[in-house]
C-alpha cells in the first residue's frame, strides 16, 4: 500500500510536470508570437516612417527644383520679381521657414526672410552648414543639411539644398530651404507618439550626426551637435553584417528592413533599421525588450491563472484521493498486520517488528498453545471457540508489559515477545500465565476448562551472533513438544532439542534417497515353536547410510511414518521379502512362514490390496505362508474400513497378526472385532517378566486371552533360556529373540537353516 501511495503522488508530480511543460510550451509560443508581432509592428512602423520621410524629402526636392527653374533666369536680372516669388512660396507652405539663394562662395544673393547673420556670414563659414554646403556644390542631387537651431528663426531647422547649374555644368547658385523640424516632420513625431513604446530616430551616415533625434530629445538642440563615435558606428555595422550575413554595402543596397537585438547602456533593445539610399540616412526604430516581456506577461496572465487554477484543482483531487487511499491503506495495513478475530497483531506484524529492531537487541519468545482446541470447536461450535479465543487473548493482554508484543500466531497459538525480562522473569511470567488459565471460562451458557502449554526460546544463544526470528520460532516449537509432555506444561529450549531436531532433519533428507541409493536391505529373524522347530521368519528392514552409518529402525521408521516415506519403503519390504524368502525356501526345501509389518500409510493407500496381490504374483509366493502384522494405531481413525480390508485379505488365505499387543488402550475390543490369527506380546513385557511381577502378570493374561480366543501367541524379545522356559510353562506357542537367533540377511539365513537341518 505504501508503494501505491507513492505511485499516486508520482503520478501527480508527472501531471504537474507535464502541466508545467505545457504552460512553458504555451508561454514560449506566446513569447515567440509576441516577439514576432512586435517585430512586424516595428518593421511596419519603420517602413511607414521611411515612406513618409521619403515623400516629404521628395516634396522638398521638387520645390527646390521649381525654385531653381523659376528663378534661374530672373534671379540675377530682376531681384524684385524673384523676391515676390520667394515670398509667395514661403507663405504657401508653413513648414518652409525660409528660402535662400546663395552664390557658390556661400554669400546670400536673395532670401526671405533675410537674416543679418546670413548677410554678413557666408554658409561655408558656419559650422553647421559648412560641410554640407560644400557637398551641395559637388552634388547634382538635393543635399540634406545638418539639423541645428537657427537663432534668427528661433527653432530647429533641417536645411535642404540643391545647386543650380548652367549648361556647362557650372554652379550658378545654390537654393536652400529651411524646413521646420516641428512642422515639416510632424508625422514623424506623431507616429512615435502614437506608438509610445517605440523610439525612432534618423541618423546621417555621411557625418554621423542625428538628423531627427529620439522623441524624448527631439527638441534638444544640443543633441544635434553630438557626433556618434566611429567605433560605435563600426560596432553597429558588424552586428548588422552578422545578423543579415551580408556586407554593409549589400545591406544598404538591399532596401530591406532589418531587425536585430542590441544592448545599449545595460538595456536590451530590439532595433529595426532601414537605409534611405537616396538621402544617405539610416532610420532606426527601437523598443525595449522589457516592453515585450510586459506584453508577454499581460498576454500570459490568463493562461497562467488557468494553469494555476487547474493544477490547484488537480492537487486537491489527488490529495482527496491520497487521503482516501491512505485511509484505505491504513485499514488494509491494519487488516494485514492484525488478527481479524482478536484484533491482536499477527505473524506479519511480528516479522516486520523483529526485522526493524536495532542490532544486538535480545528478546525472549514465549510460545502459548491451547491443547486440543479443535475438540472445543467440535464439542460446542466454532462461535463458542472464537469467543473462547477472544477471552484468552484479553487474559494474555493482562499479563504483558507495555513494551511486550502479543501476537496471535495461528488458531489456538499465541506468541509473546518480551524485551525487558531475563530468563527468571520470563519463567515467572510463564507460570503466572499458566496459573491465570487454570480456571473455568464462562462462554455463553457453557463452562469450559482448557489446558495450555508454554515454551520459551531466546534469540541470545550465547554465541557472538543473535539468532534470527525463524530460528527462535523453530526452537520454541521444539520446546513446545517437550512442554506438552511435561507435568508443568512449561519448557525452555535447550541445545539438545536442536541437536535432536537437526539429526531428525538429516535422517529425513537422507531417507528420501535411501532406496534409489540401494541403502535399504532386509534381514529376517527366525521364529521357533516349542520344540525349537523353525517355523518362519519376521522380515525386518535395515538402513546403512554412507553419511549416517547404520541407522536404527526404531529411529528411522517413526520418521518414515511421519513423512509418509514408509509407503515406498513398505512396497520395497513386501516385494523384497517375498522374493528373498521364496529363494530361501527354494534353497533349503523347507516351508517357512513370512511375517511382514504393515504401516498405517500402506493401509490408507487406495490400491494396497491390489499391490499386495501383484507382489504375491510376481514373486510366486505361497499366500498361505504369508502373515501381515498390524499394530493397534492402524485402527484408531478408521476401524471399520480397516476391518473390511483385513477381512478381504483374510479371505485370500493370508494370516493377520496383531503386533505389540498390550501397549495400546483398545486391545481387548480389537480381539472381538478383527479377523486375527495371532497375537504378538510386546518385548517390553517379555524381557522384564522375570524381574517385574506386573510384566509377568501381563504376559500371563495375554496368553490366557489368546488361548481363550483360539489365537496363536508369539513372544518377541526372548533373550535368555530362563525366559524361554517361563514362556513354555505359560503355554506360549512361538518364540522370537536373540536366545534363538538374531536377524539374518538372506544368505546367512540360508546357511543358518542348513546348519540347523544338519544338526537335527
Amino acid at each position: 500500500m505504501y508503494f501505491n501511495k507513492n505511485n499516486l503522488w508520482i503520478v501527480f508530480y508527472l501531471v504537474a510536470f507535464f502541466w508545467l511543460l505545457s504552460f512553458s510550451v504555451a508561454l514560449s509560443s506566446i513569447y515567440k508570437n509576441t516577439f514576432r508581432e512586435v517585430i512586424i509592428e516595428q518593421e511596419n512602423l519603420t517602413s511607414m516612417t521611411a515612406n513618409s520621410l521619403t515623400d516629404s524629402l521628395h516634396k522638398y526636392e521638387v520645390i527646390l527644383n521649381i525654385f531653381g527653374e523659376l528663378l534661374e533666369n530672373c534671379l540675377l536680372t530682376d531681384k524684385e520679381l524673384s523676391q515676390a516669388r520667394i515670398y509667395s512660396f514661403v507663405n504657401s507652405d508653413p513648414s518652409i521657414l525660409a528660402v535662400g539663394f546663395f552664390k557658390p562662395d556661400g554669400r546670400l544673393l536673395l532670401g526671405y526672410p533675410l537674416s543679418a547673420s546670413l548677410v554678413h556670414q557666408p554658409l561655408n563659414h558656419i559650422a553647421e552648414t559648412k560641410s554640407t554646403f560644400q557637398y551641395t556644390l559637388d552634388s547634382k542631387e538635393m543635399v540634406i543639411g545638418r539639423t541645428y537651431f537657427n537663432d534668427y528663426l528661433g527653432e530647429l531647422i533641417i536645411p535642404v539644398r540643391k545647386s543650380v547649374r548652367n549648361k556647362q555644368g557650372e554652379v550658378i547658385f545654390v537654393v536652400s530651404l529651411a524646413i521646420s523640424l516641428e512642422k515639416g516632420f510632424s508625422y514623424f513625431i506623431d507616429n512615435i507618439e502614437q506608438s509610445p513604446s517605440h523610439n525612432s530616430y534618423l541618423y546621417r551616415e555621411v557625418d554621423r550626426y542625428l538628423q531627427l533625434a529620439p522623441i524624448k530629445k527631439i527638441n534638444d538642440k544640443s543633441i544635434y551637435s553630438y557626433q556618434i563615435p566611429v567605433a560605435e558606428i563600426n560596432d553597429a555595422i558588424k552586428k548588422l553584417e552578422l545578423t543579415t550575413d551580408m556586407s554593409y554595402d549589400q545591406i544598404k543596397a538591399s532596401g530591406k528592413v532589418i531587425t536585430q537585438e542590441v544592448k545599449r547602456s545595460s538595456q536590451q533593445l530590439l532595433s529595426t533599421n532601414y537605409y534611405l539610399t537616396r538621402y544617405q540616412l539610416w532610420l532606426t526604430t527601437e523598443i525595449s525588450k522589457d516592453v515585450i516581456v510586459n506584453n508577454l506577461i499581460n498576454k500570459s496572465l490568463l493562461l497562467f491563472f488557468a494553469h494555476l487554477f487547474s493544477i490547484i484543482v488537480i492537487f486537491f483531487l489527488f490529495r482527496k484521493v491520497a487521503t482516501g487511499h491512505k485511509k484505505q491503506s491504513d485499514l488494509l495495513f491494519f487488516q494485514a498486520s492484525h488478527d481479524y478475530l482478536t484484533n491482536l497483531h499477527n505473524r506479519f506484524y511480528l516479522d516486520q517488528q523483529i526485522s526493524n529492531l536495532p542490532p544486538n537487541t535480545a528478546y525472549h519468545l514465549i510460545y502459548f498453545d491451547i491443547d486440543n482446541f479443535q475438540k472445543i470447536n467440535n464439542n460446542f461450535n466454532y462461535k463458542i471457540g472464537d469467543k473462547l479465543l477472544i477471552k484468552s487473548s484479553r487474559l494474555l493482554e493482562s499479563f504483558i508489559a507495555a513494551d511486550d508484543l502479543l501476537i496471535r500466531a495461528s488458531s489456538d497459538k499465541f506468541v509473546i515477545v518480551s524485551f525487558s525480562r531475563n530468563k527468571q522473569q520470563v519463567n515467572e511470567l510463564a507460570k503466572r500465565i499458566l496459573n491465570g488459565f487454570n480456571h473455568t471460562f464462562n462462554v455463553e451458557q457453557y463452562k469450559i476448562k482448557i489446558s495450555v502449554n508454554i515454551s520459551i526460546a531466546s534469540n541470545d544463544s550465547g554465541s557472538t551472533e543473535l539468532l534470527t526470528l525463524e530460528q527462535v520460532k523453530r526452537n520454541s516449537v521444539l520446546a513446545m513438544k517437550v512442554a506438552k509432555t511435561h507435568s508443568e506444561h512449561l519448557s525452555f529450549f535447550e541445545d539438545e532439542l536442536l541437536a535432536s531436531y537437526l539429526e531428525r532433519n538429516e535422517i529425513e533428507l537422507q531417507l528420501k534417497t535411501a532406496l534409489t541409493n540401494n541403502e535399504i536391505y532386509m534381514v529376517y529373524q527366525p521364529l521357533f515353536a516349542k520344540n525349537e522347530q523353525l517355523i518362519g521368519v519376521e522380515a525386518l528392514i535395515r538402513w546403512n547410510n554412507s553419511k549416517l552409518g547404520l541407522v536404527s529402525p526404531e529411529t528411522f521408521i517413526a520418521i518414515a511414518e511421519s513423512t509418509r516415506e514408509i509407503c515406498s519403503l513398505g512396497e520395497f519390504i513386501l516385494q523384497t521379502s517375498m522374493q528373498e524368502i521364496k529363494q530361501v525356501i527354494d534353497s533349503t526345501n523347507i516351508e517357512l512362514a513370512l511375517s511382514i509389518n504393515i504401516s498405517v500409510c500402506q493401509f490408507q493407500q487406495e490400491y494396497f490390496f491390489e499391490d499386495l496381490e501383484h507382489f504375491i504374483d510376481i514373486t510366486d509366493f505361497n499366500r498361505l505362508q504369508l502373515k501381515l502384522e498390524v499394530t493397534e494405531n492402524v485402527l484408531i481413525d478408521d476401524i471399520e474400513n480397516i476391518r473390511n480390508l483385513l477381512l478381504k485379505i483374510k479371505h485370500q488365505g493370508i494370516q493377520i497378526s496383531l503386533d505389540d499387543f498390550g501397549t495400546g488402550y483398545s486391545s481387548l475390543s480389537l480381539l472381538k472385532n478383527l479377523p486375527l490369527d495371532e497375537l504378538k506380546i510386546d518385548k517390553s513385557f517379555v524381557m522384564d517378566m522375570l524381574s517385574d511381577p506386573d510384566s509377568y502378570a501381563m504376559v500371563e493374561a495375554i496368553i490366557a486371552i489368546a488361548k481363550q480366543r483360539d489365537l496363536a501367541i508369539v513372544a518377541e524379545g526372548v533373550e535368555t533360556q530362563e525366559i524361554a522356559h517361563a514362556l513354555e510353562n505359560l503355554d506360549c506357542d512361538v518364540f522370537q529373540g536373540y536366545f534363538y537367533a538374531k536377524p539374518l540377511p538372506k544368505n546367512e539365513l540360508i546357511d543358518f537353516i542348513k546348519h540347523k537341518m544338519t544338526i537335527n
Side-chain angles (χ1 to χ4, degrees), residues 12 221 378 410 426 430 593 647 656 733:
F12 170 75
K221 60 183 179 180
N378 294 339
S410 62
V426 170
L647 285 172
I656 307 297
D733 299 314

Side-chain angles (χ1 to χ4, degrees), residues 50-51 53-54 57 61 135 139 141-144 202-206 248-257 273-283:
N51 290 334
L53 284 170
T54 301
L57 293 174
E61 189 172 7
Y135 185 62
S139 176
E141 306 296 334
M142 184 185 78
V143 175
I144 303 171
L202 196 62
Y203 149 73
R204 297 169 55 83
E205 181 190 30
V206 65
Y248 184 59
D249 291 336
Q250 288 175 327
I251 293 171
K252 292 192 296 181
S254 67
K256 292 182 179 180
V257 178
N273 304 278
Y274 180 78
Y275 185 67
L276 282 71
T277 307
R278 172 68 180 79
Y279 304 107
Q280 295 181 303
L281 297 173
W282 275 104
L283 175 62

Side-chain angles (χ1 to χ4, degrees), residues 528-534 735:
F528 293 88
K530 293 178 183 179
N531 56 2
E532 295 189 9
Q533 179 185 356
L534 179 64
F735 303 84

Side-chain angles (χ1 to χ4, degrees), residues 303-323:
L303 179 66
F304 170 75
F305 284 114
H307 275 74
L308 180 63
F309 177 76
S310 299
I311 203 65
I312 290 173
V313 170
I314 292 172
F315 169 77
F316 281 104
L317 287 174
F318 269 83
R319 193 173 73 167
K320 184 176 180 180
V321 173
T323 302

